[in-house]
Amino acid sequence: MTSSARTAVPASSPAAPSAEDLAFTRDLGAFVTASPSSFHAAAEAARRLEAAGFTALDEREEWSAADVRGRRFVVRDGAFIAWIAADGADAGTPWRIVGAHTDSPALKLKPNPRLGAEGFAQAGVEIYGGPLLNSWLDRDLRLAGRLVLRDGSVHLAATGPVARVAQLAVHLDRQVNSEGLKLDPQRHLQPILGLGEIDPVALLAEDAGVDAAEVVSWDVVTVDSQEPAVIGARGELFASARLDNLSSTHACLRALLDLADADAETAAAASISLLVANDHEEVGSDTRSGAGGPFLEDVLVRMHAALGGDDASRRRAFARSMVLSCDAGHAVHPNYPERHDPVSRPRLGGGVLLKVNAQQRYASDAVGAAELARCCEAAGVPMQAFVSNNALPCGSTIGPITATRLGMTTIDAGITLLSMHSARELCAVVDPRMLSQATVEFWRP
């Protein structure tokens, strides 16, 4: 074997991430850890926004012009909307909207979750979204979400590692490696909680500090308990759960906070800088807090009315507005290169991803692509394009849904991932910060 053949890392490899990149991505890890469910993600975003001087608004209350100007945010279930509006914002001011989503594929606790067989206590779950089911096997899992009590109060809860979906041993499935793993979602994916009788809701109630007998309903998912980690020979990779799509939610939230710290009044004068992070994207978005629901439009209509506008002026403002939809996309896979377009080969560490699809599964068009190129150039970060192999239809995002509801020019963008929809995904350390930097420039047209 020659010396060059033994070289593990080619000489042309990118340099190690900068200290700024590492700090940013480690903060992403902290955000992921604090956000085991969409409800926790919205709460963590609210905590960070309040710390930066943003004020919460209540959807049940009337909003005046003074209420909607400045730094504001609204939380609806597992979704949130935050914005910066200058003191001079009025009915003629358009929006620059950045969108993401807070949910990720998972196993979700059923209404009657107590199961048991062969002396084991188990939790009854159903499939949420489109997870890579095999990735949930033999992982130490937490339970996380919200509990609703008899009095109507809502409490967030997250256990430690209490569950595991145990795979059948190879001795009892001799063909698994040659014929592939076959999982029945009903029979094979019910997590083990322990031995004997165990109530999963009681575990959550204990964490929340409430009486389990008072819990009447819940929205709870299973969560990989392994901490996010910087890995790779040069520390250039980042492994974590829920990068789809907390990577975008975090990057865009950091961009809004950076904008507020730097020149909020100047940046917000020409347009209202707004971030929406919807829930339920992984299951179609058609909920009250999803992109297919009324949340964003409700807030925009109320803001515009508070600023003195009417239906006609709002439609004019919509026509002058633009949306940047941020969601993770696929990097070319070294073990499956044939699954990708032969020319468009997005890379981990290759910069902000423009997502394009002729069937409009992504909303990007030429106008939007040019705008994203402007943002990346202004931020000093590279841009790359994703288009599917024609034989493999792509997924979709909140972008086309938002464009359809509001009629605004919309761009679909994000960072590249490997192992998308796995219990643990992979990105490049440098990419989340580049997306955040480009997002700041989107808010500075």
Side-chain angles (χ1 to χ4, degrees):
M1 182 180 293
T2 66
S3 175
S4 60
R6 291 197 302 270
T7 302
V9 182
S12 59
S13 293
S18 69
E20 292 81 4
D21 293 327
L22 283 166
F24 188 96
T25 299
R26 286 192 173 113
D27 187 59
L28 167 59
F31 186 81
V32 170
T33 300
S35 306
S37 75
S38 58
F39 308 104
H40 287 84
E44 174 63 10
R47 183 192 70 78
R48 292 183 178 217
L49 287 162
E50 286 181 335
F54 285 70
T55 301
L57 296 182
D58 189 332
E59 288 191 88
R60 298 168 296 182
E61 302 295 331
E62 184 176 353
W63 294 354
S64 67
D67 290 326
V68 301
R69 292 185 180 122
R71 305 176 186 183
R72 303 288 184 261
F73 72 93
V74 179
V75 174
R76 181 187 287 190
D77 300 332
F80 69 92
I81 295 175
W83 66 88
I84 302 170
D87 289 342
D90 58 24
T93 306
W95 290 269
R96 301 282 287 189
I97 298 171
V98 175
H101 68 87
T102 57
D103 64 318
S104 301
L107 308 176
K108 187 174 183 181
L109 209 62
K110 287 184 174 181
N112 297 300
R114 295 183 68 170
L115 290 179
E118 307 298 338
F120 290 99
Q122 294 175 274
V125 297
E126 59 180 327
I127 310 302
Y128 180 88
L132 275 171
L133 295 178
N134 64 292
S135 71
W136 291 87
L137 302 178
D138 299 330
R139 301 197 69 86
D140 302 330
L141 303 176
R142 304 167 65 197
L143 301 176
R146 66 177 178 179
L147 308 176
V148 182
L149 305 193
R150 203 175 306 279
D151 63 5
S153 60
V154 178
H155 301 263
L156 297 185
T159 71
V162 297
R164 185 181 178 94
V165 182
Q167 186 171 186
L168 187 64
V170 68
H171 313 80
L172 304 177
D173 189 3
R174 293 290 185 178
Q175 288 75 43
V176 65
N177 290 327
S178 59
E179 297 182 6
L181 179 66
K182 297 178 177 63
L183 294 172
D184 180 327
Q186 180 61 42
R187 291 189 299 139
H188 299 151
L189 292 175
Q190 310 309 315
I192 293 170
L193 294 173
L195 303 175
E197 294 287 332
I198 300 172
D199 181 0
V201 176
L203 299 176
L204 290 153
E206 181 179 0
D207 175 82
V210 300
D211 184 353
E214 294 299 307
V215 179
V216 295
S217 57
W218 48 85
D219 294 302
V220 170
V221 293
T222 57
V223 184
D224 177 30
S225 66
Q226 187 175 356
E227 290 290 320
V230 173
I231 65 171
R234 292 190 176 93
E236 66 268 57
L237 301 175
F238 183 68
S240 174
R242 302 184 300 288
L243 291 177
D244 179 12
N245 188 35
L246 292 185
S247 61
S248 298
T249 301
H250 172 265
C252 298
L253 178 61
R254 281 286 302 263
L256 189 67
L257 297 179
D258 287 346
L259 190 73
D261 285 343
D263 54 354
E265 292 302 316
T266 300
S271 60
I272 297 170
S273 302
L274 183 143
L275 168 61
V276 54
N278 290 111
D279 200 352
H280 302 128
E281 189 273 346
E282 300 293 354
V283 292
S285 295
D286 290 336
T287 67
R288 79 184 215 105
S289 55
F295 186 29
L296 176 57
E297 190 170 6
D298 282 353
V299 169
L300 297 181
V301 168
R302 295 188 63 184
M303 289 175 67
H304 192 76
L307 294 172
D310 57 20
D311 181 70
S313 62
R314 183 178 71 250
R315 294 181 187 279
R316 290 194 297 271
F318 277 16
R320 296 171 54 217
S321 300
M322 186 173 283
V323 178
L324 175 63
S325 166
C326 294
D327 202 346
H330 300 291
V332 64
H333 197 299
N335 296 342
Y336 303 89
E338 73 282 357
R339 301 298 180 96
H340 301 268
D341 181 79
V343 177
S344 296
R345 316 289 282 181
R347 310 283 181 175
L348 294 186
V352 176
L353 190 67
L354 170 69
K355 302 164 78 172
V356 179
N357 180 254
Q359 304 300 325
Q360 293 298 291
R361 299 289 289 169
Y362 304 131
S364 305
D365 59 12
V367 173
E371 173 61 10
L372 185 62
R374 180 198 69 79
C375 296
C376 291
E377 183 177 358
V381 302
M383 187 179 92
Q384 54 186 335
F386 171 84
V387 63
S388 289
N389 182 310
N390 285 339
L392 296 170
C394 68
S396 191
T397 70
I398 67 169
I401 299 170
T402 305
T404 300
R405 285 194 62 94
L406 302 179
M408 297 177 184
T409 296
T410 301
I411 313 157
D412 267 303
I415 68 168
T416 52
L417 298 182
L418 290 181
S419 306
M420 188 185 293
H421 285 203
S422 171
R424 192 167 176 85
E425 298 162 323
L426 188 71
C427 74
V429 165
V430 299
D431 283 338
R433 182 166 172 249
M434 287 196 284
L435 177 61
S436 189
Q437 291 170 318
T439 301
V440 170
E441 297 305 327
F442 177 77
W443 278 317
R444 291 174 176 157

